[in-house]
Amino acid sequence: MFGFFGIVVIAALALLFMSIKVLPEYQRGVVLTLGRYTGTKGPGLVLLVPIVQRMMRVDLRVTVMDVPPQDVISRDNVSVRVNAVVYFRVVEPDKSMLQVANFFQATSQLAQTRLRSVLGQHELDEILSQRDSINHSLQQILDEATDPWGIKITNVEIKDVDLNDTMVRAIARQAEAERERRAKVIHAEGEMQAAEKLRDAAAMLSQQPQALQLRYLQTLADMSSNGKSSTIVFPLPLDLITPLINGLPRS
């Protein structure tokens, strides 16, 4: 009699132990009663009917998922290797358990396919220079696709864009040519500005002949005071000797 009573007590304690569950603040429990969804429990103490009810735990914290490197062909037919990182969290635990078999694997595969699809619509220069806009586009596309699963994509970041050696050398040559082009443009702009200044100076000197004579003399003084002995052949302006010629007595 005592043995039977002991077995009953032990069985009752085991069932009581199986019926008590404790969920931390960052977890929720999806409860199934006889295979049917009957609610989401937690956090804290949760009591279940043994054998009849079953609970599946769901983590609500932000999950960081590394997207494996993907071989992508850009719109301008350049082959690149790109990897990314996706930040997401579960916002509806019941959907994440009932609508998809494994939401983590499903999100990972979806991120890989969407990454190749989106980057294939951009040229290489855009992939390298417009990462913020591409990240935002990827985040919106993935968020819409995972919404039926109760998943919220909070952020997507492209980590690395790897190019082969041939493309790296081609980009280096392109950058060098671009720098040379800018140098030539800057030099041409400087010549144009100098020509404009010389034109303005010539127009100003032409208004006063005396100013032109003073400029001739100033140039001659600068050349003679450089400390080097040299022979200077300097044209004598006719305006300097015209007064002398006019002052001579005429026979």
Side-chain angles (χ1 to χ4, degrees):
M1 183 68 180
F2 178 76
F4 177 76
F5 180 75
I7 294 174
V8 172
V9 172
I10 293 174
L13 292 176
L15 291 175
L16 180 62
F17 178 77
M18 292 173 57
S19 65
I20 297 177
K21 304 293 182 181
V22 177
L23 295 176
E25 183 66 31
Y26 55 85
Q27 284 187 352
R28 297 294 184 272
V30 178
V31 179
L32 300 179
T33 303
L34 296 177
R36 296 180 62 87
Y37 170 71
T38 55
T40 302
K41 306 294 183 180
L45 182 65
V46 178
L47 297 178
L48 300 176
V49 178
I51 302 175
V52 177
Q53 290 184 324
R54 183 169 66 93
M55 184 181 70
M56 296 177 291
R57 296 173 180 263
V58 181
D59 198 323
L60 302 184
R61 291 176 294 183
V62 174
T63 302
V64 181
M65 181 182 63
D66 189 20
V67 180
Q70 303 294 311
D71 293 325
V72 179
I73 298 179
S74 63
R75 192 172 64 181
D76 51 350
N77 296 323
V78 178
S79 178
V80 295
R81 194 171 179 85
V82 182
N83 66 336
V85 60
V86 178
Y87 299 85
F88 69 93
R89 61 186 179 90
V90 177
V91 293
E92 297 181 78
D94 54 338
K95 289 184 178 181
S96 66
M97 289 288 102
L98 303 177
Q99 300 298 327
V100 61
N102 187 331
F103 66 85
F104 187 88
Q105 183 180 4
T107 304
S108 176
Q109 295 297 322
L110 183 65
Q112 295 177 36
T113 57
R114 291 295 190 271
L115 179 64
R116 292 193 297 267
S117 176
V118 171
L119 294 183
Q121 301 174 6
H122 294 79
E123 296 183 356
L124 178 60
D125 293 340
E126 296 175 353
I127 296 175
L128 296 177
S129 62
Q130 300 180 10
R131 289 195 182 186
D132 291 339
S133 61
I134 295 176
N135 291 338
H136 184 66
S137 299
L138 282 171
Q139 187 266 332
Q140 288 184 333
I141 293 173
L142 290 176
D143 191 34
E144 293 177 359
T146 57
D147 185 67
W149 304 340
I151 305 297
K152 173 64 178 178
I153 305 296
T154 58
N155 195 13
V156 178
E157 293 288 343
I158 295 177
K159 294 171 59 178
D160 298 317
V161 179
D162 296 330
L163 304 173
N164 54 42
D165 295 338
T166 303
M167 184 55 59
V168 171
R169 290 193 295 269
I171 292 177
R173 291 195 299 269
Q174 179 183 2
E176 184 178 358
E178 178 66 19
R179 288 193 295 269
E180 292 180 356
R181 184 189 68 83
R182 292 180 181 178
K184 292 179 180 179
V185 170
I186 293 174
H187 179 72
E189 290 178 351
E191 291 292 337
M192 183 177 66
Q193 293 177 3
E196 292 177 352
K197 295 299 182 181
L198 288 174
R199 181 195 61 191
D200 296 341
M204 186 178 298
L205 291 174
S206 64
Q207 297 176 1
Q208 295 291 335
Q210 295 82 2
L212 182 60
Q213 296 173 6
L214 292 176
R215 186 58 182 166
Y216 273 122
L217 295 176
Q218 180 65 39
T219 303
L220 181 62
D222 293 339
M223 295 175 65
S224 61
S225 63
N226 58 5
K228 297 180 181 180
S229 60
S230 59
T231 301
I232 302 173
V233 179
F234 195 87
L236 183 64
L238 187 62
D239 295 339
L240 293 178
I241 62 176
T242 299
L244 297 177
I245 296 175
N246 294 333
L248 294 176
R250 301 179 180 179
S251 57

